[in-house]
Amino acid sequence: MGKVYYISKNIGIGLLVLGFIALATIIALSIAYDKERAKNKVKPGDGALESTSTPALPTTAFTPKEPWDRYRLPDSIIPVSYNVTLWPRLQPNAQGLYIFTGRSSVIFGCMKETDLIIIHCSKLNLTTTSSGYHVKLNSLGHAPAPTIRSTWLVVKTEYLVVLLQQKLQAGSKYELEAEFVGELADDLQGFYRSEYMQDGVKKVVATSQMQATHARKTFPCFDEPAMKAVFSVTIIHSPDTVALSNGKETDSLIDGVRVKVTTFEPTERMSTYVLAFIVCDFAEIQSNQNNLLIRIWAQRKAIADKQGDYALNVTGPILQFYEHYYNTTYPLSKSDQIALPDFHAGAMENWGLVTYRETALLYDPILSSTGNKERVTTVIAHELAHMWFGNLVTLQWWNDLWLNEGFASYVEYLGADYAEPTWNIKDQIILYDVQKVFAVDALASSHPLSRPEDEVNEPAQISEMFNTISYSKGAAVIRMLSEFLTEPVFAQGLSSYLNTFAFGNTVYTDLWVHLQQAVENTPGVQIPHSVDDIMNRWTLQMGFPVVTIDTRTGSITQNHFLLDPDSVVDRPSQFNYTWFVPIKWIKTGVEQQQYWPNALLLFSSFTSECVFSDAEMSDSVNTFSKDCKKTVMCSCDSFQELSVINRAQIIDDAFNLARAKMISTTLALKTTKYLFKERDYIPWESFLRNLDYYTLMFDRTEVYGALQAYLKQQIQPLFEYFQTVTENWTRVPTIHTDQYNQINAIGIACNVGVDGCRELIKGWYRQWMDNQDHNPIHPNLKSTVYCTAIAFGGAEEWNFAWRMFKNSTLASEASRLRSAMACTKLPWLLNRYLEYTLDPTKIRKQDATSTIQYIARNVVGMPLAWNFVRSRWSFIFQHYGKGSFSFSSLINGITRRFSTEFELQELEKFKEDNQHVGFGSATLALEQAIEKTTANIKWVTENEAEVLRWFTEESA
């Protein structure tokens, strides 16, 4: 702790005085909470909360044409700085509510004359001033502040509106003060509470999640990313707790034995969505690297068990890598990272105080798996990438979210690779992002990376942007851009961009300008069109092309790739769905010069024996001859002449092209025949992910038996291979990806009935059940073993897993068990588990929707989960999905198997019956579910007989 002082521009003697004034005021606010709740009632018919001030605004003012009925703030006012004091209560009041009290002031500049102040404010009970208004307005100049005419709250647009008698003067600065009370609810939004048990005692954490539109639920603020300001924060809390925020703690004053008052250094100029406030009884470990304080915070037992050590060890190197990569020093004085028991997202890049799910930050060196370790590394790398790209330089509006998240989703592989160079993790972007997003972006209902601003206004529309397109297609496009510019040129342009716009806001074209300058300043680097021209075709129109190379003539053509070629694309494109496509290719094993087909037209000066695309966004290159007489794998003996990525890519392309009817389904299936000789993880994983679609479509039909038989003969050699190299499962493979492929081998082998596999798994699980204090299962294999043992077991196995789940002190172990319990084939257990998901004492709110998805993944559980969600949609939406940017995954997860007319009718009826409830961020997901179900019905009808015949013949 530093010396005691407060930061205030208004009180020269220090904020010690203000601290006690705030303390007294906030105590009064707490007493007045119920009174204010009663006063701030929704006025019937007008959608607003009216103050007691007079004159009341006429009802005719509440029309869509008024500024407060629009979701975007007017540009007449710009915030400069905030002073925020918060006091969260970690014990319930007499009404059983957890609350926080606070006061805030914002200094703002008037850019245009106006008699209206509109500021975001939601779910707060504002204390009326002595004049009868919600706020107090002060002038910071010589002229007095305009008098307030009326104030009111608008529920729909989440505004506090201040109507003035006179106008604010352009060029002048003013201060707006407010006092308020809010509920420290368990809704995982804004300033909320998280709970956990420590030595049998319930502990409460006050924490926050502001992205995307939740800062307004904590204090009145201009809650848009471009409304950057400096924040001075004071937190009042119990002396036995610690307070954290974005800035480093500057002083801490204990008021007797009641409270501690902690203040923090003013932040840099930043957006409201990366603010963070936390009060907890956590422990920490720290290091100091190049005068930068790095701390990892978590529950005391987790820190004592060294679960934070790995995160601390990789944070420094990753930050150093980014400083070098960006050619820009880390912009803050400290880097805090904290693992929270309840947190909706995986992590959040709050500037200087990054928040994580426990599974994304904590790694137990004995009990955690390789996959857990990789997740910690990549998530940390993702969030720390944002400290520059997203926080230092921020996008102007949420319609360009893709650049923020897509960029971090790409460079996380670079940061993780620097921290763990033996993993070869950069190759995995093909599986986790490029191939993943193809299935979504090949839909007619997809959307461009960058959408028009008027399509992204309401909070639900903003939340909907946090999707696979923004993250994974964004990553793939940025990777392609880096590849064709070359990494040094890309990094040079990026550094120029970050230094030019530091602490400011941009639109995506600003990055193109700086990358273009880097191209022009680098001798020998040439591209056929400007960066802007090339990239606009990838960002302003949805989808991607299928590029067909005719190896007989050398001609190259392209078309908009759609999984359902009969679907109708309603969204127009100014580029007519054509792209500039960089093509990398090899000839006789040697990589050739990159080609750009001329002007998007027929390109006929190119010939080679074989063409394979590199793993770019242009991966879907049709390398299958049109007469189907040649397959790209050539023979089962020569497959290793191709790179691992190319082998995976060929399989993925083949299955997608077959879905689109561009090649036959049997030709796609033939690309998998060589797999009985394949030992590498990425091709196998590519196959299994594509085969998953066949499983979903056919695991309720006779095709499934033949599919299982074929898969058994393909997987058995891999199972036996790992049985040998691990010396009968007693050793761990040394190569990182081999550890993953061992998991695949065991999981699939047990599922399809390879001799000895299920007995092996059940034996391990039984040993654990007989001695629960000694788990003989290696951490890498736990997820597979738990799921398989429960799937082929009964209530005894399930109930044992439930007890272990409730008693687990390691988040990743609890997560494995939670997923595995959804594997049971007993309907009554699955129905009971579904009921548990909506009981926060059994399943945390953050885990409810994902648990329902796990159950829906089970062929027995799918109809149960669908019925459960339909019957409780209103409750689930209000308590778990409203405003959540991950809620769309619930709809996607439950409807993945839908492939019958009856299921389509049920889906359409579900949409119709719940229009009055709404779907929030799942709105687009529901439309896509209907589109995908329609396509699935058609695909199954056209392919079921052929697929059954092929699998039957190949497994005979």
Side-chain angles (χ1 to χ4, degrees), residues 174-191:
Y174 302 87
E175 181 184 42
L176 194 69
E177 298 181 11
E179 297 177 356
F180 47 87
V181 183
E183 183 179 357
L184 201 67
D186 62 351
D187 58 358
L188 311 180
Q189 299 174 355
F191 203 23

Side-chain angles (χ1 to χ4, degrees), residues 600-634:
L600 312 170
L601 301 175
L602 189 68
F603 183 79
S604 58
S605 61
F606 171 81
T607 58
S608 74
E609 300 109 4
C610 247
V611 179
F612 303 104
S613 138
D614 195 9
E616 315 246 2
M617 191 59 210
S618 55
D619 276 345
S620 207
V621 174
N622 183 353
T623 54
F624 304 87
S625 58
K626 292 184 177 180
D627 58 9
C628 295
K629 291 180 181 176
K630 177 183 71 176
T631 65
V632 289
M633 285 304 181
C634 301

Side-chain angles (χ1 to χ4, degrees), residues 6 15-25 253-256 259 261:
Y6 284 86
L15 217 64
L16 185 61
V17 175
L18 179 58
F20 284 117
I21 293 173
L23 181 57
T25 303
L253 173 69
I254 297 180
D255 173 27
V259 296
V261 181

Side-chain angles (χ1 to χ4, degrees), residues 31-80:
I31 296 172
Y33 178 59
D34 291 329
K35 183 177 180 180
E36 288 303 314
R37 289 187 72 188
K39 184 183 295 182
N40 288 338
K41 296 280 185 161
V42 178
K43 190 174 179 183
D46 64 13
L49 296 176
E50 194 69 53
S51 77
T52 57
S53 58
T54 57
L57 203 68
T59 56
T60 54
F62 294 94
T63 67
K65 296 181 181 179
E66 299 294 351
W68 51 82
D69 293 324
R70 301 171 188 146
Y71 283 95
R72 295 295 300 275
L73 289 167
D75 59 1
S76 53
I77 291 174
I78 300 293
V80 177

Side-chain angles (χ1 to χ4, degrees), residues 227-422:
M227 295 289 188
K228 286 191 169 184
V230 173
F231 296 84
S232 295
V233 175
T234 300
I235 297 180
I236 302 169
H237 56 106
S238 172
D240 60 354
T241 59
V242 63
L244 300 171
S245 190
N246 303 82
K248 187 183 292 185
E249 307 93 298
T250 58
D251 60 289
S252 184
L253 173 69
I254 297 180
D255 173 27
V257 296
R258 293 189 58 207
V259 296
K260 182 188 274 188
V261 181
T262 301
T263 59
F264 303 87
E265 64 185 5
T267 69
E268 298 289 352
R269 190 168 177 267
M270 58 183 271
S271 303
T272 52
Y273 80 86
V274 287
L275 280 168
F277 312 116
I278 296 176
V279 174
C280 62
D281 180 27
F282 281 4
E284 51 92 15
I285 52 176
Q286 64 175 258
S287 66
N288 200 303
Q289 300 185 22
N290 300 322
N291 296 319
L292 174 65
L293 176 64
I294 300 173
R295 297 185 295 194
I296 306 296
W297 297 84
Q299 294 184 43
R300 292 184 176 277
K301 185 174 185 349
I303 293 296
D305 290 344
K306 300 186 180 303
Q307 294 177 23
D309 289 13
Y310 180 72
L312 184 67
N313 292 338
V314 298
T315 294
I318 291 173
L319 285 173
Q320 291 172 5
F321 169 78
Y322 286 141
E323 284 187 318
H324 180 265
Y325 183 73
Y326 295 130
N327 194 27
T328 306
T329 57
Y330 180 73
L332 305 178
S333 61
K334 58 102 170 173
S335 174
D336 277 328
Q337 297 176 96
I338 186 167
L340 298 167
D342 298 285
F343 191 71
H344 201 286
M348 177 60 210
E349 66 268 17
N350 310 306
W351 215 7
L353 177 53
V354 185
T355 45
Y356 295 82
R357 279 198 179 203
E358 290 179 325
T359 54
L361 187 65
L362 303 180
Y363 171 80
D364 188 293
I366 298 174
L367 301 176
S368 297
S369 69
T370 295
N372 298 142
K373 192 174 189 178
E374 182 181 302
R375 173 165 166 75
V376 169
T377 310
T378 55
V379 175
I380 288 176
H382 181 103
E383 302 308 323
L384 295 183
H386 280 309
M387 299 300 106
W388 289 265
F389 204 100
N391 296 2
L392 179 65
V393 179
T394 309
L395 276 304
Q396 186 81 12
W397 185 242
W398 298 108
N399 64 311
D400 280 336
L401 174 73
W402 76 270
L403 186 54
N404 189 11
E405 294 300 345
F407 179 86
S409 297
Y410 165 61
V411 299
E412 73 180 54
Y413 291 96
L414 308 186
D417 183 67
Y418 183 82
E420 296 286 359
T422 64

